[in-house]
Every structure is written in structure tokens, then in C-alpha cells.
């Protein structure tokens, strides 16, 4: 169903190669860049196989959609590299009944991956035009369980709190306290934190009022800008 829609929505013979090429490229990406490295969760691998990343990148970059690197999406922002998306998603350890909050909607790609693994996704974006574009695309692609809000995500989204999982896809100096407070008991939060030029992924696990923090791999994300992030 989804592919049928996508086929019709692109002008014939222009920019996009036939859909089967994208499918083949996506399967190759999952085998070579994810499964061959340390992405072992069958559910995460399936989600990465199913979500059409090429739909979330600008038309002129579509031929690079399945390379393992971030790509520009406008306004100085990027869609994260596939490996990082898979790695962070794996750290979240999602169950089908989970309710998830994402900060940094960007292209909407990470939200689509989350939406195919969890029951409900709330995603927040501070740049209005980016948020609206992602909201339309996610709707067109049929992700009815994802809500996009344009607001400062460092404060979280209280209306649907608490969340079983929270993922931040932009980097602030530290993990925002407001987000920790919106984590459910037993919940997992994954967030890049550290100086502007290089950060580490931090995974926070909540057990009642105890927050256990573990550091994971080094990474470079665009800045998280807001009350509990970097100043504008
Ligand atoms: N998850 C995205 C990648 C996001 S890039 C994807 O899959 O494509 C990071 C995004 O975070 C940018 O779009 C940026 O505008 C947004 N951002 C930065 N600070 C934010 C904040 N305080 N609240 C919400 N979004 C923020």
C-alpha cells in the first residue's frame, strides 16, 4: 500500500530510480552497515528494512539515501546516519506497547522507525517548517500513531507523559532534567550530551526515583537549542 502511494507521487523518469532499486539498496544497507556491525535486535533490523529512508531525504540527495552518513535536510539540520538511528533505537529496547517521546523530529525518519516499533510516538521539533514537512510526510506514509509538535523539546511534552522511552536526536550540554522527570518507572532515555563539537550517547534508566546513567559511543549531533539545551 505504502509503496503504491510512493510510486505514484514521484514524477516518472525523473530523479528517483525505480522503487525496486531503493528496496535493494535498503536491504544491502541493513546487511552491510547494521547486521554486520553490532545491531543485533531482529525488531530493529526489521524496522530499518521496512522504513523507506529515501522518502525522508531531499530529492537531490535521494541517490545517497542508503549510504551510512547523515544528510542535510535544510535549515542547517541533518537526518542522522542509519547506523546511529539503529544503534540508538536498539538502546531504547522498545516493546510494542511502549509510548515514546522523541526530541528533534527533523526529517521524521527516526520517528517513523519508532512508530513501527511502539504503540505511540510523540515527536517535537523547534523549527516550524521542518516540523510541518515531517508531519505531512508521516501522515502520507500512513504513520497514524505519531504526533508532531512544534515546541521546545527540552521541556518535554507533559500532556502524554510519562513515556516508556525518550530519545533526543540533537545534543545539549547535559541530559535535560525535564525529560528525566517524564520517564516512566522502568523507562529508558537515550541522549547525546557533551561539548558542541563532540558528544557521547548517554543512556538513562529509571527505577522509581533512581536514575542510572551509562555512557555509550562517541557521536556528533546538531545542537539541542532550548531552555535546557544550548542558548539560541
Ligand atoms: N531525528 C531526526 C534528526 C534530527 S536533527 C531525523 O530522523 O531526521 C535534530 C533536530 O532537532 C533539528 O531538526 C533541530 O531543529 C531539532 N531541535 C534542536 N533543538 C530542539 C529543541 N529544543 N526542541 C525540538 N527540536 C529541536
Amino acid at each position: 500500500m505504502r509503496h503504491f502511494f510512493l510510486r505514484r507521487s514521484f514524477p516518472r523518469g525523473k530523479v528517483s530510480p525505480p522503487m525496486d532499486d531503493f528496496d535493494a539498496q535498503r536491504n544491502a544497507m541493513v546487511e552491510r552497515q547494521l547486521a554486520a556491525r553490532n545491531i543485533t535486535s531482529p525488531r530493529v533490523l526489521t524496522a530499518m528494512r521496512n522504513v523507506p529512508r529515501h522518502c525522508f531525504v531531499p530529492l537531490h540527495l535521494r541517490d545517497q539515501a542508503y549510504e551510512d552518513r547523515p544528510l542535510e535536510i535544510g535549515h542547517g539540520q541533518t537526518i542522522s546516519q542509519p547506523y546511529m538511528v539503529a544503534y540508538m533505537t536498539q538502546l531504547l529496547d522498545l516493546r510494542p506497547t511502549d509510548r515514546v517521546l522523541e526530541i528533534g523530529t527533523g526529517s521524521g525518519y527516526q520517528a517513523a522507525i519508532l512508530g513501527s516499533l511502539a504503540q505511540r510516538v510523540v515527536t517535537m521539533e523547534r523549527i516550524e517548517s521542518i516540523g510541518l514537512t515531517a508531519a505531512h510526510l508521516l501522515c502520507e506514509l500512513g504513520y497514524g500513531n505519531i504526533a508532531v509538535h512544534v515546541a521546545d523539546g527540552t521541556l518535554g511534552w507533559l500532556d502524554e507523559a510519562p513515556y516508556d522511552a525518550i530519545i533526543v536526536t540533537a545534543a545539549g550540554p547535559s541530559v535535560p532534567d525535564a525529560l528525566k522527570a517524564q520517564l516512566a518507572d522502568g523507562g529508558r532515555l537515550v541522549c547525546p550530551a557533551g561539548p558542541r563539537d563532540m558528544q557521547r550517547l548517554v543512556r538513562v534508566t529509571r527505577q522509581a526515583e533512581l536514575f542510572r546513567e551509562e555512557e555509550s559511543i562517541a557521536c556528533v549531533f546538531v545542537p539541542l537549542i532550548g531552555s535546557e539545551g544550548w542558548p539560541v
Side-chain angles (χ1 to χ4, degrees):
M1 287 287 272
R2 267 177 209 156
H3 283 189
F4 176 68
F5 172 81
L6 291 169
R7 267 202 190 101
R8 289 202 323 168
S9 64
F10 299 128
R12 276 237 170 101
K14 251 190 118 200
V15 190
S16 308
M19 192 56 71
D20 291 350
D21 285 5
F22 282 131
D23 287 347
Q25 287 177 32
R26 190 161 60 254
N27 283 325
M29 172 193 86
V30 171
E31 298 316 316
R32 291 186 205 139
Q33 299 162 23
L34 308 181
R37 292 162 82 190
N38 52 359
I39 307 302
T40 52
S41 158
R43 294 190 73 228
V44 172
L45 291 171
T46 300
M48 297 294 294
R49 242 177 235 119
N50 289 342
V51 177
R53 188 173 192 260
H54 61 276
C55 296
F56 294 86
V57 307
L59 268 179
H60 69 283
L61 295 176
R62 234 160 228 188
D63 58 339
Q64 298 169 49
Y66 295 106
E67 292 174 13
D68 194 28
R69 58 197 180 90
L71 294 170
E72 287 177 16
I73 57 168
H75 299 268
Q77 308 303 325
T78 54
I79 172 174
S80 307
Q81 76 179 105
Y83 179 77
M84 189 55 72
V85 171
Y87 190 86
M88 292 174 87
T89 307
Q90 185 165 268
L91 282 180
L92 287 178
D93 197 13
L94 295 177
R95 282 132 227 192
T97 52
D98 278 352
R99 301 154 51 76
V100 185
L101 175 67
E102 179 195 25
I103 311 306
T105 311
S107 67
Y109 176 66
Q110 172 77 71
I113 295 286
L114 300 169
S116 63
L117 290 168
Q119 186 176 90
R120 171 76 172 158
V121 177
V122 174
T123 179
M124 301 182 68
E125 172 56 54
R126 65 178 283 275
I127 300 175
E128 186 172 23
S129 63
I130 292 186
L132 290 179
T133 303
H136 283 128
L137 179 59
L138 289 166
C139 180
E140 278 180 355
L141 293 176
Y143 291 96
N145 61 342
I146 302 175
V148 181
H149 298 288
V150 174
D152 177 6
T154 65
L155 300 174
W157 191 257
L158 265 177
D159 288 5
E160 296 199 40
Y163 302 92
D164 303 296
I166 300 179
I167 178 171
V168 186
T169 62
S174 57
V175 181
D177 285 335
L179 297 183
K180 288 192 197 170
Q182 291 178 29
L183 206 51
D185 191 5
R188 295 82 56 202
L189 181 159
V190 174
C191 174
R196 273 190 183 249
D197 54 343
M198 168 77 85
Q199 308 93 32
R200 276 200 172 271
L201 285 186
V202 179
R203 184 187 201 248
V204 181
T205 317
R206 179 172 193 171
Q207 296 297 342
E209 291 314 307
L210 267 183
F211 294 85
R212 189 161 62 96
E213 291 202 9
E214 305 153 84
E215 280 204 351
S216 178
I217 56 173
C219 51
V220 181
F221 277 81
V222 295
L224 178 71
I225 295 169
S227 325
E228 291 201 34
W230 297 107
V232 182

